[in-house]
C-alpha cells in the first residue's frame, strides 16, 4: 500500500462528518468532483470502499466506520507535529457526546472541569439521546460518548451509578383512581420505556401529560406541577420531591452511566473525573 496522503484523509473525514460531498467541498475549498476523486484515490490505496454512495445520501461502509477513527488520529497527530515545528501548538479537538440524563443542569460545571483539566484540548460537545449518540460514536463521528448503559447493547466503562426516583412538585397531588399523569421524554428514551413498563407491571394506569425533547423540559414541566416524572436523583429539581413511597409506586432500579471512548488515556481520565466530581 502507498503512503496515505493527508489531503485525502481530510477529504474523507469531512465527507463523513457532513454526509455530503458538496458540503465537504465547500469546507475544503474544492469542488464536489474534486472531493469525489480524492475519496476514490484513498479507497484505491486502502483497497476497500469507505463510503456507500446513493443519489440522496452518503453513508460510511463498515470499513469506513472503522477507519474514520484512525484517519482522525492521523490528522490530529500530523497537525500537532506541524504546530510544534511551527512553534504554535494547535489545540487537540475532542468530540464528546453526553447523554442528556448524564449532563442535566450540571453541564456547565462539567465542561468547565474538562477545560480546566485539559486546557490544551478544544472540546466539541453534543448532548442528546443515548442511542443517537452511540450510533454516532460507532460511526466514528464522536471520539467519546457518556451514555446510559441500558440504552445500548454494548459494554463500556461504568463511570457512575445513579438512583432513579419518581419526582413531582412539592405541592403536587395525584388521586390514585385517576391515571398517573406522566412527564417524560419521547418514546425512544430508555428511561421512559423503563418507567412505563414498571407502571404496567404494577397495574397502574398512566397517561402522557407532557412529552419533552430534553431533560430540562421534563424538569420544568415537573416543577410546574403537571405530573410525575422518572428522573435521576441528581436531576431532581430543588422544588420537587420523591413521591414513590407516598403514592406506592414501583421501586426503581439504579441506572449506570457508561463511557465509550477511543481517546487517549489522559482524555478518558479527565472525562471520568469531571463527571464524578460534579455529581
Amino acid at each position: 500500500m502507498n503512503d496515505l496522503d493527508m489531503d485525502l484523509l481530510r477529504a474523507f473525514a469531512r465527507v463523513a462528518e457532513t454526509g455530503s460531498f458538496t458540503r465537504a467541498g465547500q469546507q475544503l475549498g474544492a469542488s464536489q468532483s474534486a472531493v469525489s476523486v480524492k475519496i476514490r484515490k484513498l479507497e484505491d490505496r486502502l483497497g476497500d470502499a469507505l463510503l456507500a454512495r446513493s443519489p440522496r445520501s452518503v453513508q460510511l461502509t463498515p470499513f469506513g466506520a472503522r477507519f474514520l477513527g484512525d484517519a482522525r488520529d492521523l490528522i490530529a497527530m500530523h497537525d500537532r507535529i506541524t504546530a510544534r515545528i511551527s512553534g504554535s501548538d494547535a489545540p487537540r479537538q475532542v468530540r464528546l457526546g453526553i447523554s442528556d440524563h448524564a449532563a442535566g443542569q450540571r453541564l456547565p460545571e462539567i465542561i468547565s472541569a474538562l477545560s480546566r483539566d485539559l486546557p490544551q484540548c478544544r472540546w466539541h460537545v453534543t448532548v442528546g439521546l443515548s442511542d443517537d449518540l452511540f450510533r454516532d460514536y460507532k460511526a466514528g463521528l464522536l471520539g467519546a460518548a457518556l451514555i446510559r448503559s441500558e440504552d445500548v447493547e454494548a459494554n463500556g466503562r461504568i463511570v457512575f451509578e445513579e438512583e432513579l426516583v419518581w419526582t413531582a412538585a412539592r405541592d403536587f397531588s395525584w388521586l390514585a383512581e385517576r391515571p398517573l399523569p406522566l412527564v417524560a421524554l419521547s418514546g425512544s428514551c430508555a428511561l421512559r420505556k423503563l418507567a412505563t413498563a414498571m407502571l404496567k407491571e404494577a397495574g397502574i394506569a398512566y397517561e402522557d401529560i407532557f412529552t419533552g425533547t430534553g431533560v430540562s423540559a421534563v424538569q420544568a414541566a415537573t416543577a410546574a406541577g403537571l405530573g410525575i416524572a422518572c428522573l435521576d436523583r441528581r436531576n431532581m429539581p430543588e422544588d420537587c420531591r420523591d413521591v414513590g413511597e407516598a403514592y406506592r409506586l414501583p421501586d426503581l432500579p439504579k441506572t449506570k452511566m457508561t463511557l465509550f471512548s477511543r481517546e487517549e488515556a489522559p482524555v478518558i481520565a479527565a472525562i471520568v473525573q469531571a463527571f464524578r466530581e460534579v455529581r
Side-chain angles (χ1 to χ4, degrees), residues 5-31:
D5 189 317
M6 297 304 303
D7 193 36
L8 305 185
L9 293 175
R10 292 185 195 279
F12 167 58
R14 291 299 174 89
V15 173
E17 291 165 3
T18 62
S20 165
F21 285 91
T22 300
R23 289 196 294 272
Q26 291 171 347
Q27 294 181 10
L28 295 167
S31 66

Side-chain angles (χ1 to χ4, degrees), residues 184-254:
L185 293 180
S186 63
S188 62
C189 173
L191 197 53
R192 172 195 170 82
K193 293 177 181 177
L194 170 66
T196 56
M198 298 197 72
L199 290 173
K200 290 177 181 177
E201 184 178 348
I204 299 174
Y206 69 91
E207 61 177 334
D208 291 308
I209 204 73
F210 180 89
T211 301
T213 57
V215 171
S216 59
V218 171
Q219 290 171 320
T222 305
L226 288 184
I228 299 175
C230 174
L231 286 171
D232 308 85
R233 185 172 290 280
R234 72 200 300 260
N235 287 328
M236 185 167 62
E238 292 182 0
D239 50 353
C240 290
R241 61 192 174 100
D242 180 353
V243 297
E245 184 175 350
Y247 291 131
R248 298 181 179 179
L249 298 176
D251 292 335
L252 293 166
K254 288 188 176 182

Side-chain angles (χ1 to χ4, degrees), residues 116-274:
R116 179 200 65 215
D117 293 342
L118 288 178
Q120 71 274 25
C121 290
R122 182 181 178 187
W123 296 90
H124 297 259
V125 178
T126 300
V127 177
L129 295 176
S130 292
D131 53 354
D132 293 337
L133 296 174
F134 189 60
R135 183 187 63 242
D136 288 346
Y137 172 77
K138 289 192 297 182
L141 302 178
L142 296 171
L146 186 79
I147 59 182
R148 192 185 303 278
S149 62
E150 294 85 352
D151 291 2
V152 299
E153 296 181 358
N155 295 320
R157 174 175 178 173
I158 297 174
V159 176
F160 63 89
E161 291 186 337
E162 189 64 60
E163 182 182 0
L164 297 175
V165 293
W166 297 105
T167 305
R170 294 192 182 280
D171 57 354
F172 173 82
S173 179
W174 170 51
L175 299 177
E177 62 267 21
R178 296 181 180 178
L180 181 145
L182 183 65
V183 178
L185 293 180
S186 63
S188 62
C189 173
L191 197 53
R192 172 195 170 82
K193 293 177 181 177
L194 170 66
T196 56
M198 298 197 72
L199 290 173
K200 290 177 181 177
E201 184 178 348
I204 299 174
Y206 69 91
E207 61 177 334
D208 291 308
I209 204 73
F210 180 89
T211 301
T213 57
V215 171
S216 59
V218 171
Q219 290 171 320
T222 305
L226 288 184
I228 299 175
C230 174
L231 286 171
D232 308 85
R233 185 172 290 280
R234 72 200 300 260
N235 287 328
M236 185 167 62
E238 292 182 0
D239 50 353
C240 290
R241 61 192 174 100
D242 180 353
V243 297
E245 184 175 350
Y247 291 131
R248 298 181 179 179
L249 298 176
D251 292 335
L252 293 166
K254 288 188 176 182
T255 186
K256 298 177 181 178
M257 293 298 176
T258 304
L259 178 65
F260 295 87
S261 178
R262 57 177 63 91
E263 297 291 342
E264 298 173 352
V267 175
I268 295 174
I271 295 172
V272 171
Q273 177 64 24

